[in-house]
Amino acid sequence: MTTVPPGTKAEPCARIERGQGCGVERCGLCEARAVSICNAIEEDQLSELARATTVVELAPGEVFRNEGASPEYLFNIISGSVKLFKLLADGRRAVIGFLTVGDFIGFGRPDAVPCSAEALTNVRLCRFERGKFRVLLETYPKLERRLLAVASDEVAAGQEHMTLLGRLTADERVARFLLARAEASQRLGGSSKDLELPMTRSDIADYLGLTIETVSRVFTRLRRKELIDYKTARSVTLQDRPGLLAISEGG
Amino acid sequence: MTTVPPGTKAEPCARIERGQGCGVERCGLCEARAVSICNAIEEDQLSELARATTVVELAPGEVFRNEGASPEYLFNIISGSVKLFKLLADGRRAVIGFLTVGDFIGFGRPDAVPCSAEALTNVRLCRFERGKFRVLLETYPKLERRLLAVASDEVAAGQEHMTLLGRLTADERVARFLLARAEASQRLGGSSKDLELPMTRSDIADYLGLTIETVSRVFTRLRRKELIDYKTARSVTLQDRPGLLAISEGG
DNA sequence: CGCCCCGTTTGACTCAGATCAATGCGCGCA
DNA sequence: TGCGCGCATTGATCTGAGTCAAACGGGGCG
């Protein structure tokens, strides 16, 4: 079991670029727009959207949202990868999810942030001040509709993950994780065979409800069975998709 | 581990009462209105709401929503208790949650129901045809806003449960379950000490990612330590709240 | 270039919770 | 009132994954 020493907290020294290239340009040229909630907003209203946002850059390891805090900001990921996690009092950690380009960060009860968020890679975020975001929602019903759809999806994804955590074996969990990663990669136009994993074995373990050692053992077992291959721990090739699928379903 | 024999499916022989007491009366007098999403709709527009709904009655054990099916209907629970669950191919089961008065059933991707739903007690449901519900959302922005808030809450609750499933011990899980039940009971105006559990030990096990036997053993252990007491398996008294809280946090 | 650090892998052993197997018991029904 | 059927409890044993410990390896830095 991985535990985190209490009081380890990255200082929020984010470089902030405010309003550069404002108006249609910034949001209009945004690399993430097509896959983010912002695609619910019409071309000719992008300048109003841009006025409500600030672009933030983060380095790997930076924590930019703290569990339990008041949710001052909401975010869209423009580029890079992020992990969401929760800490228990004794240092046990649960990784709730891994997010990338286009993903929205900001669901939860209105009074407290449900989980902390940390950059895994260099990350560019589009940041909304909470009050301004609420105004946007009221102004653009399409945006609200889009957000409801995203939240609804997220509920379903959460239920899927609960099933994994509650009822699957270690092999099944890792196989599903790899297949899910492949699918996500494909959705963003990447390869569905060659995966770049921006997270450590420890992050994967905390995501799958396992230990580092178990995750590592399952990876090597899958490699020996020639279902996957890798030279470095962070870039994996799926060699036998049907085989992985069979394992993921309890084969 | 509990497994379910394949092909066990309750026939959907729900008694349906259509449009009785229509208009303001039905929705206006609804016992669940104050705690459901319908409280986002003004008094004088309740008749339109009522026209979009049908009241359905179910007996314990009836499955009224099937994982994977197309989501034709959405529901609000008027009275009684419901469990949501997912089945794996080999019969393993994950219980996703227990719902009661005022709870909404209908989140998920638009193409497939994320999990099955079964009545635990006699249940009265308010049923919305999907198309009509969408029209309601478009007509009443407040309803949509309310639903987004509920979905957002649900995301956070799901994350909480993932943490439980991924990182807590059996004792911690059961203690949290009991405390959460107490809180839910209190929210609905019931006792926060005397709990009626509408679900079986098997349901609890599948909800907490444990086996029946482990759940049972933890219950008796908590009773021996005089943290809880019960005469029948389904009605539990919390005797030592702080003690339970300590256990739930890894005491 | 070589050293150090941190993430990863591998091995030996342990243990919390699962599995297997009775037994208990409350409730509905005859 | 007694019978039978599910659910629940309890006990004995097993095992998948955790823990502890050591070695490996690659990337960054002096």
Side-chain angles (χ1 to χ4, degrees), chain B residues 1 169-170 210-211 213-214 217:
Chain B
M1 169 92 48
T169 66
L210 302 169
T211 58
E213 293 93 329
T214 298
R217 277 187 252 269

Side-chain angles (χ1 to χ4, degrees), chain A residues 156-221:
Chain A
Q159 294 173 345
E160 198 71 43
H161 198 59
M162 289 176 214
T163 306
L164 176 148
L165 291 172
R167 285 292 174 248
L168 299 197
T169 65
D171 286 16
E172 289 164 3
R173 292 180 202 202
V174 173
R176 284 211 186 184
F177 169 72
L178 290 170
L179 290 168
R181 283 266 115 199
E183 214 175 293
S185 155
Q186 196 169 27
R187 233 193 338 270
L188 291 173
S191 162
S192 70
K193 276 194 69 185
D194 297 308
L195 303 180
E196 287 307 312
L197 302 178
M199 70 295 284
T200 65
R201 293 284 185 268
S202 170
D203 291 332
I204 298 173
D206 287 341
Y207 179 60
L208 298 178
L210 301 169
T211 58
I212 309 181
E213 294 93 330
T214 298
V215 170
S216 178
R217 278 187 253 268
V218 175
F219 267 84
T220 61
R221 200 180 307 150

Side-chain angles (χ1 to χ4, degrees), chain B residues 176-193 195 238 241:
Chain B
R176 283 213 186 181
F177 169 73
L178 290 169
L179 289 168
R181 283 265 115 198
E183 212 175 293
S185 154
Q186 196 169 27
R187 233 191 340 267
L188 291 172
S191 163
S192 69
K193 275 194 65 181
L195 302 180
L238 308 196
R241 192 77 81 89

